[in-house]
Amino acid sequence: MKKVLLLMSGGVDSSYCAYLLQKQGFSVYGIYLKLHDKEEKHNYYLQNIQKCAQVLNFPYEIIDERELFKKAVYDYFIESYKQGLTPNPCAMCNPFVKFGIAFTLADKLGCDYVATGHYAQIKEGKIAQAVDNTKDQSYFLFGVKQEWIARILFPLGDKKKEDIKPIALKELPWLGTLETYKDSQEICFVENSYIDVLNKHYNTQQMGDVLDEEGNKIGTHKGYMQYTIGKRKGFTIKGALTPHYVLKINPANNTLVVGSKESLATSEIKALNFSLPKEFFVNHQPLDCEVKVRYKSHKIQATIELDSKDNQEFIIAKLKEPAYGVASGQALVIYEQDKVLGGGFIV
């Protein structure tokens, strides 16, 4: 019997994954990762994991990796906003924390596979988009190591989110206690707003100047960390008759540069390469594919090239249509139809 290590969150989705994997003939070993300091939250989820493991009769383990998570994800999140960037903590957490821990333990325990409740699929040896486009999480998985992919299972990837809960509750009536669960947030350590997290470390309320594209002062803002590229609210402009959007964030002098939506348009994006293999570029020829610049953005046709400078490799994406609100720090993810080829972090 093949053995699978299942990353569990304590929600309906991962509990249902355990059931589906057992139905497919796998021996399941569950793990719950303690990654933050919200003990009340942990206890709530662990009660449900305990119930799931008891009813389905499989072992599980609690792994405390708060120190690793703080270094790899939380500190990166805090520092990014300080630098005026818009971080993508889930894209960092998946390769450096979740899957890294899971595969280390899977090898130790002799597990053949690692499974998660992500909405994604594996196709032709690549991460691919889920059947449910509204819940697809392939964007956050672009950094998962290529050598892991053959051993990853996504039991929910071919299912619609809206169908899962009624089916799960029908087949597993004891899951009824989980009906009140909120879907887990993408950023697990944010309760209400990311600003609440930043306020623990910085004074985010420092008023600053809003500048036009020529550098003239035209208004005021509440503190640069409260804004991301493309935001059009939360700052004051004297006598503004048309919408203004944040074009640039300057941490050094706490100013924002704003302008029209047309000024927000970007036709070329540069990203520090994280996981796009050179092998895709035969004889250094550009690659025709699609890109996503944010989790919720649609895919845009683009031509991709690689460029090296100062021992760093960059992805250069020339877009066939303009993208709006492209923020430094976010992920640029490269797709071939529904398959993820790799990606990097926008600079």
Side-chain angles (χ1 to χ4, degrees):
M1 183 183 281
K2 295 280 188 182
K3 194 172 179 183
V4 60
L5 185 140
L6 172 63
L7 281 157
M8 301 189 74
S9 66
V12 171
D13 284 354
S14 63
S15 300
Y16 190 49
C17 281
Y19 169 74
L20 290 172
L21 290 164
Q22 282 190 339
K23 268 185 73 175
Q24 291 164 23
F26 290 102
S27 169
V28 174
Y29 188 94
I31 64 166
Y32 176 83
L33 301 181
K34 268 189 152 182
L35 301 178
H36 51 72
D37 291 322
K38 297 179 172 59
E39 287 301 328
E40 194 178 330
K41 213 171 181 180
H42 289 312
N43 293 337
Y44 183 64
Y45 292 132
L46 282 166
Q47 283 177 3
N48 292 290
I49 289 175
Q50 186 178 9
K51 185 174 186 178
C52 179
Q54 196 175 356
V55 174
L56 296 179
N57 191 27
F58 65 84
Y60 74 95
E61 186 177 339
I62 302 161
I63 299 176
D64 191 331
E65 286 286 4
R66 284 177 284 191
E67 196 176 321
L68 171 63
F69 182 81
K70 182 182 182 300
K71 286 178 186 171
V73 181
Y74 186 87
D75 290 351
Y76 144 81
F77 178 86
I78 299 296
E79 184 60 28
S80 293
Y81 275 108
K82 183 185 176 185
Q83 293 177 19
L85 306 173
T86 305
N88 197 316
C90 298
M92 293 294 276
C93 185
N94 282 320
F96 292 122
V97 182
K98 286 182 181 174
F99 283 92
I101 294 165
F103 274 100
T104 300
L105 187 59
D107 290 340
K108 186 177 165 187
L109 296 171
C111 292
D112 303 282
Y113 297 98
V114 165
T116 77
H118 282 100
Y119 283 83
Q121 298 186 89
I122 305 293
K123 288 186 178 179
E124 298 170 23
K126 296 181 180 69
I127 303 282
Q129 288 178 286
V131 165
D132 190 338
N133 279 329
T134 65
K135 293 295 176 183
D136 171 56
Q137 293 172 298
S138 61
Y139 176 82
F140 296 116
L141 297 165
F142 77 92
V144 170
K145 288 183 181 178
Q146 184 62 42
E147 63 259 32
W148 291 340
I149 293 176
R151 293 173 62 197
I152 294 175
L153 301 174
F154 295 127
L156 306 182
D158 61 348
K159 294 169 177 54
K160 293 272 189 181
K161 171 80 174 180
E162 62 185 9
D163 297 336
I164 286 173
K165 192 173 278 187
I167 293 170
L169 296 177
K170 185 181 175 185
E171 294 182 21
L172 308 171
W174 52 271
L175 272 177
T177 53
L178 309 187
E179 264 192 289
T180 55
Y181 269 34
K182 291 178 183 175
D183 287 335
S184 59
Q185 295 162 291
E186 289 301 340
I187 305 177
C188 58
F189 54 86
V190 173
E191 291 289 349
N192 299 307
S193 163
Y194 76 92
I195 288 295
D196 297 336
V197 177
L198 296 179
N199 281 336
K200 295 174 185 175
H201 304 272
Y202 307 120
N203 176 12
T204 65
Q205 313 293 322
Q206 294 176 303
M207 296 279 286
D209 294 337
V210 174
L211 313 176
D212 65 15
E213 292 178 75
E214 282 72 49
N216 304 306
K217 180 183 172 182
I218 58 172
T220 57
H221 65 78
K222 299 173 186 174
Y224 77 89
M225 289 187 205
Q226 301 192 42
Y227 303 88
T228 55
I229 302 299
K231 191 167 182 177
R232 55 168 289 194
K233 292 179 180 176
F235 49 85
T236 306
I237 295 179
K238 301 163 193 166
L241 300 174
T242 56
H244 286 69
Y245 300 82
V246 175
L247 305 177
K248 191 176 179 186
I249 298 166
N250 297 314
N253 58 10
N254 190 27
T255 60
L256 301 179
V257 177
V258 301
S260 66
K261 188 172 182 181
E262 289 71 32
S263 297
L264 200 61
T266 303
S267 58
E268 185 171 308
I269 299 170
K270 185 178 182 180
L272 188 61
N273 192 10
F274 187 79
S275 62
L276 184 64
K278 285 181 180 175
E279 298 86 80
F280 290 130
F281 299 87
V282 181
N283 299 324
H284 303 287
Q285 289 299 306
L287 195 66
D288 287 320
C289 51
E290 293 178 296
V291 301
K292 282 183 81 166
V293 298
R294 287 186 309 280
Y295 171 47
K296 292 292 185 185
S297 70
H298 70 283
K299 290 191 291 186
I300 298 172
Q301 292 281 342
T303 302
I304 306 294
E305 295 176 0
L306 290 182
D307 184 35
S308 295
K309 189 178 181 183
D310 300 328
N311 294 322
Q312 290 185 310
E313 191 170 72
F314 295 94
I315 301 168
I316 310 295
K318 295 176 181 177
L319 311 181
K320 302 288 174 71
E321 64 176 88
Y324 295 86
V326 176
S328 293
Q330 280 289 294
L332 174 75
V333 181
I334 318 299
Y335 286 84
E336 181 183 58
Q337 296 173 329
D338 63 345
K339 294 184 288 294
V340 174
L341 299 185
F345 292 97
I346 297 168
V347 296

PDB file of all heavy atoms in Angstrom, residues 126-137:
ATOM      1  N   LYS A 126       4.098  19.011 -14.408  1.00  0.00           N
ATOM      2  CA  LYS A 126       4.103  20.420 -14.012  1.00  0.00           C
ATOM      3  C   LYS A 126       2.886  20.724 -13.135  1.00  0.00           C
ATOM      4  O   LYS A 126       1.848  20.070 -13.240  1.00  0.00           O
ATOM      5  CB  LYS A 126       4.063  21.337 -15.243  1.00  0.00           C
ATOM      6  CG  LYS A 126       5.287  21.230 -16.140  1.00  0.00           C
ATOM      7  CD  LYS A 126       5.175  22.198 -17.312  1.00  0.00           C
ATOM      8  CE  LYS A 126       6.400  22.110 -18.215  1.00  0.00           C
ATOM      9  NZ  LYS A 126       6.473  20.842 -18.947  1.00  0.00           N
ATOM     10  N   ILE A 127       3.022  21.732 -12.270  1.00  0.00           N
ATOM     11  CA  ILE A 127       1.861  22.270 -11.560  1.00  0.00           C
ATOM     12  C   ILE A 127       0.929  22.869 -12.605  1.00  0.00           C
ATOM     13  O   ILE A 127       1.378  23.534 -13.535  1.00  0.00           O
ATOM     14  CB  ILE A 127       2.285  23.389 -10.572  1.00  0.00           C
ATOM     15  CG1 ILE A 127       3.331  22.901  -9.566  1.00  0.00           C
ATOM     16  CG2 ILE A 127       1.073  23.985  -9.870  1.00  0.00           C
ATOM     17  CD1 ILE A 127       2.835  22.078  -8.423  1.00  0.00           C
ATOM     18  N   ALA A 128      -0.372  22.644 -12.453  1.00  0.00           N
ATOM     19  CA  ALA A 128      -1.337  23.189 -13.407  1.00  0.00           C
ATOM     20  C   ALA A 128      -2.525  23.787 -12.662  1.00  0.00           C
ATOM     21  O   ALA A 128      -2.735  23.515 -11.473  1.00  0.00           O
ATOM     22  CB  ALA A 128      -1.812  22.094 -14.372  1.00  0.00           C
ATOM     23  N   GLN A 129      -3.287  24.591 -13.375  1.00  0.00           N
ATOM     24  CA  GLN A 129      -4.444  25.244 -12.769  1.00  0.00           C
ATOM     25  C   GLN A 129      -5.511  24.215 -12.393  1.00  0.00           C
ATOM     26  O   GLN A 129      -5.655  23.176 -13.041  1.00  0.00           O
ATOM     27  CB  GLN A 129      -5.036  26.263 -13.747  1.00  0.00           C
ATOM     28  CG  GLN A 129      -4.170  27.500 -13.931  1.00  0.00           C
ATOM     29  CD  GLN A 129      -4.763  28.452 -14.945  1.00  0.00           C
ATOM     30  OE1 GLN A 129      -4.717  28.202 -16.137  1.00  0.00           O
ATOM     31  NE2 GLN A 129      -5.324  29.548 -14.469  1.00  0.00           N
ATOM     32  N   ALA A 130      -6.273  24.553 -11.348  1.00  0.00           N
ATOM     33  CA  ALA A 130      -7.369  23.703 -10.899  1.00  0.00           C
ATOM     34  C   ALA A 130      -8.546  23.816 -11.864  1.00  0.00           C
ATOM     35  O   ALA A 130      -8.656  24.777 -12.628  1.00  0.00           O
ATOM     36  CB  ALA A 130      -7.814  24.129  -9.497  1.00  0.00           C
ATOM     37  N   VAL A 131      -9.430  22.831 -11.808  1.00  0.00           N
ATOM     38  CA  VAL A 131     -10.668  22.878 -12.602  1.00  0.00           C
ATOM     39  C   VAL A 131     -11.497  24.096 -12.190  1.00  0.00           C
ATOM     40  O   VAL A 131     -12.104  24.762 -13.028  1.00  0.00           O
ATOM     41  CB  VAL A 131     -11.473  21.565 -12.412  1.00  0.00           C
ATOM     42  CG1 VAL A 131     -12.897  21.719 -12.908  1.00  0.00           C
ATOM     43  CG2 VAL A 131     -10.778  20.421 -13.147  1.00  0.00           C
ATOM     44  N   ASP A 132     -11.507  24.393 -10.886  1.00  0.00           N
ATOM     45  CA  ASP A 132     -12.266  25.539 -10.372  1.00  0.00           C
ATOM     46  C   ASP A 132     -11.405  26.800 -10.483  1.00  0.00           C
ATOM     47  O   ASP A 132     -10.560  27.080  -9.639  1.00  0.00           O
ATOM     48  CB  ASP A 132     -12.655  25.292  -8.908  1.00  0.00           C
ATOM     49  CG  ASP A 132     -13.645  26.316  -8.391  1.00  0.00           C
ATOM     50  OD1 ASP A 132     -13.723  27.418  -8.984  1.00  0.00           O
ATOM     51  OD2 ASP A 132     -14.339  26.036  -7.399  1.00  0.00           O
ATOM     52  N   ASN A 133     -11.651  27.594 -11.539  1.00  0.00           N
ATOM     53  CA  ASN A 133     -10.856  28.803 -11.766  1.00  0.00           C
ATOM     54  C   ASN A 133     -11.000  29.824 -10.649  1.00  0.00           C
ATOM     55  O   ASN A 133     -10.090  30.619 -10.402  1.00  0.00           O
ATOM     56  CB  ASN A 133     -11.254  29.462 -13.092  1.00  0.00           C
ATOM     57  CG  ASN A 133     -10.578  28.788 -14.272  1.00  0.00           C
ATOM     58  OD1 ASN A 133      -9.472  28.273 -14.145  1.00  0.00           O
ATOM     59  ND2 ASN A 133     -11.255  28.762 -15.403  1.00  0.00           N
ATOM     60  N   THR A 134     -12.134  29.818  -9.968  1.00  0.00           N
ATOM     61  CA  THR A 134     -12.373  30.818  -8.920  1.00  0.00           C
ATOM     62  C   THR A 134     -11.530  30.539  -7.669  1.00  0.00           C
ATOM     63  O   THR A 134     -11.329  31.420  -6.846  1.00  0.00           O
ATOM     64  CB  THR A 134     -13.859  30.880  -8.521  1.00  0.00           C
ATOM     65  OG1 THR A 134     -14.238  29.626  -7.923  1.00  0.00           O
ATOM     66  CG2 THR A 134     -14.738  31.142  -9.726  1.00  0.00           C
ATOM     67  N   LYS A 135     -11.060  29.304  -7.513  1.00  0.00           N
ATOM     68  CA  LYS A 135     -10.275  28.939  -6.327  1.00  0.00           C
ATOM     69  C   LYS A 135      -8.850  28.499  -6.663  1.00  0.00           C
ATOM     70  O   LYS A 135      -8.085  28.142  -5.765  1.00  0.00           O
ATOM     71  CB  LYS A 135     -10.982  27.800  -5.563  1.00  0.00           C
ATOM     72  CG  LYS A 135     -12.305  28.198  -4.939  1.00  0.00           C
ATOM     73  CD  LYS A 135     -12.092  29.236  -3.842  1.00  0.00           C
ATOM     74  CE  LYS A 135     -13.410  29.717  -3.269  1.00  0.00           C
ATOM     75  NZ  LYS A 135     -13.195  30.771  -2.243  1.00  0.00           N
ATOM     76  N   ASP A 136      -8.499  28.536  -7.945  1.00  0.00           N
ATOM     77  CA  ASP A 136      -7.188  28.046  -8.385  1.00  0.00           C
ATOM     78  C   ASP A 136      -6.051  28.691  -7.593  1.00  0.00           C
ATOM     79  O   ASP A 136      -6.007  29.909  -7.429  1.00  0.00           O
ATOM     80  CB  ASP A 136      -7.020  28.344  -9.876  1.00  0.00           C
ATOM     81  CG  ASP A 136      -5.615  28.064 -10.345  1.00  0.00           C
ATOM     82  OD1 ASP A 136      -5.148  26.923 -10.154  1.00  0.00           O
ATOM     83  OD2 ASP A 136      -4.966  28.993 -10.868  1.00  0.00           O
ATOM     84  N   GLN A 137      -5.119  27.858  -7.093  1.00  0.00           N
ATOM     85  CA  GLN A 137      -3.980  28.353  -6.310  1.00  0.00           C
ATOM     86  C   GLN A 137      -2.636  28.065  -6.972  1.00  0.00           C
ATOM     87  O   GLN A 137      -1.594  28.182  -6.335  1.00  0.00           O
ATOM     88  CB  GLN A 137      -4.011  27.716  -4.910  1.00  0.00           C
ATOM     89  CG  GLN A 137      -5.199  28.176  -4.069  1.00  0.00           C
ATOM     90  CD  GLN A 137      -5.319  27.396  -2.770  1.00  0.00           C
ATOM     91  OE1 GLN A 137      -5.507  26.185  -2.791  1.00  0.00           O
ATOM     92  NE2 GLN A 137      -5.201  28.071  -1.651  1.00  0.00           N
TER      93      GLN A 137
END
